[in-house]
Amino acid sequence: MSNNKIGVHALVWVGGWSEDEARTAISSTKKAGYDVIELALMQPEKEPVDAMSFTADLLSEYGITPTMSMGLSDDTDVSSDDADIVAAGRRRLEAAVNVARDIGCQYLGGVIFSKLGRYTQPVTERGYSHSVETMAWLADKAAESGITLGMEFCNRYETNVINTTEQTLRFIEAIGRDNVVAHLDTYHMNIEERSFTDAVKAAADAGKLGYVHVGESHRGQLGTGSIPWDEFFTALRDVGYDGTITFESFSSEVVNPQLSSALSIWRNLWTDSMDLATGARAFIRDKYGA
């Protein structure tokens, strides 16, 4: 039996974050048997102070640990050649660190190194440097509040900066900060990696395997697509991974206007959130013993 904390993405439950939605999401996370809820804030600078207050209170009430993920937009893309756009991205990222701090969250990950969306050309040398420099700057900000940053490499249709574990480890080495880790996501790995085993081992050998998303190949219920789950969980077990494993799934049943569009969630892969979440929790328990 492993001691990993097991999480679920908030978009399994709700598309927004009013106080009622927050209670629904956090209480449902507890009811479904999870330890962690991953919050997705696309515009953290617009989050009101009272939202952070009721979020912190609800997390405490239900005994749920928060993590946070986000993606940047065209006008906040820190891998841009345009210095003004990079500056706007830094303001958004600093706001995200402040939100994380205020709700007691110690992990901020996702596509925070570029926009979340399709590019039509490779990242430029200048853009890559902007991204690395911004991540180093953000890591120093995050370290002040004990926050770890996770670089979630994504498939070629969602970023052009890092798409594989190997690229991510080089990117992290260039950043040169201890509180920056690799964020592995099975959905993206299934598209871009040659070997799940090799990817997990490489991240672990580098001492940078810091966070894991488990998502099915079609983003629906675990075990109903083409992800090689036995290989993946065996690799995690072999390297002794003891960090958070968060279930991520999206359907047009639950809509966040920005995130659903960025992730191209056009069809219903499920309609019952609790059935989905409890099924995924049982799957992780069966496959990994967590």
Side-chain angles (χ1 to χ4, degrees):
M1 180 69 69
S2 74
N3 294 318
N4 306 72
K5 286 190 174 182
I6 308 301
V8 62
H9 196 283
L11 209 62
V12 165
W13 311 114
V14 296
W17 203 252
S18 66
E19 187 167 2
D20 287 344
E21 287 171 315
R23 182 172 290 279
T24 294
I26 294 170
S27 65
S28 297
T29 296
K30 182 72 172 182
K31 183 178 180 181
Y34 290 87
D35 313 295
V36 173
I37 185 167
E38 183 176 309
L39 310 179
L41 299 179
M42 299 299 287
Q43 294 180 295
E45 72 277 13
K46 295 186 177 181
E47 290 300 320
V49 173
D50 63 332
M52 296 307 97
S53 178
F54 67 64
T55 299
D57 289 346
L58 288 167
L59 290 166
S60 177
E61 178 181 345
Y62 288 96
I64 296 295
T65 299
T67 61
M68 274 181 54
S69 63
M70 63 180 292
L72 298 174
S73 56
D74 281 306
D75 57 356
T76 58
D77 181 358
V78 297
S79 70
S80 171
D81 286 354
D82 188 317
D84 290 338
I85 292 175
V86 173
R90 287 191 174 205
R91 289 192 292 271
R92 177 160 290 179
L93 290 168
E94 184 171 18
V97 166
N98 291 340
V99 168
R101 176 200 63 206
D102 291 347
I103 64 171
C105 173
Q106 295 183 315
Y107 180 83
L108 170 63
V111 188
I112 58 178
F113 47 81
S114 77
K115 79 170 182 180
L116 174 60
R118 185 172 179 271
Y119 290 84
T120 58
Q121 61 185 17
V123 64
T124 65
E125 184 177 344
R126 177 178 171 83
Y128 190 89
S129 294
H130 280 164
S131 184
V132 168
E133 291 162 5
T134 297
M135 290 302 96
W137 166 85
L138 187 66
D140 291 341
K141 293 278 185 185
E144 295 172 4
S145 301
I147 295 170
T148 296
L149 299 183
M151 303 295 108
E152 182 181 7
F153 60 93
C154 291
N155 69 76
R156 67 195 70 184
Y157 308 111
E158 295 181 24
T159 181
N160 65 353
V161 176
I162 48 175
N163 302 128
T164 67
T165 302
E166 182 182 5
Q167 287 179 310
T168 304
L169 294 175
R170 289 200 302 267
F171 187 72
I172 291 172
E173 185 177 6
I175 294 167
R177 299 296 189 274
D178 291 340
N179 62 325
V180 179
V181 299
H183 176 149
L184 274 61
D185 183 314
T186 58
Y187 170 79
H188 300 293
M189 294 170 68
N190 194 51
I191 297 171
E192 301 291 353
E193 297 285 7
R194 295 182 180 182
S195 164
F196 276 57
T197 299
D198 290 349
V200 170
K201 186 175 186 301
D205 286 349
K208 289 297 181 180
L209 179 55
Y211 196 84
V212 167
H213 270 163
V214 287
E216 191 50 89
S217 58
H218 48 50
R219 292 199 180 277
Q221 180 60 273
L222 299 183
T224 63
S226 60
I227 301 292
W229 291 113
D230 289 338
E231 177 189 353
F232 182 67
F233 283 122
T234 295
L236 290 183
R237 192 176 295 111
D238 286 348
V239 301
Y241 177 66
D242 59 1
T244 300
I245 300 172
T246 294
F247 169 54
E248 189 177 51
S249 180
F250 306 105
S251 171
S252 54
E253 182 71 18
V254 177
V255 176
N256 174 295
Q258 288 177 291
L259 195 56
S260 295
S261 177
L263 298 176
S264 301
I265 309 303
W266 311 136
R267 58 194 173 97
N268 271 35
L269 290 168
W270 43 264
T271 56
D272 188 325
S273 297
M274 185 57 71
D275 180 66
L276 173 83
T278 54
R281 185 68 188 89
F283 183 87
I284 297 167
R285 186 179 294 112
D286 177 60
K287 289 291 184 181
Y288 198 58

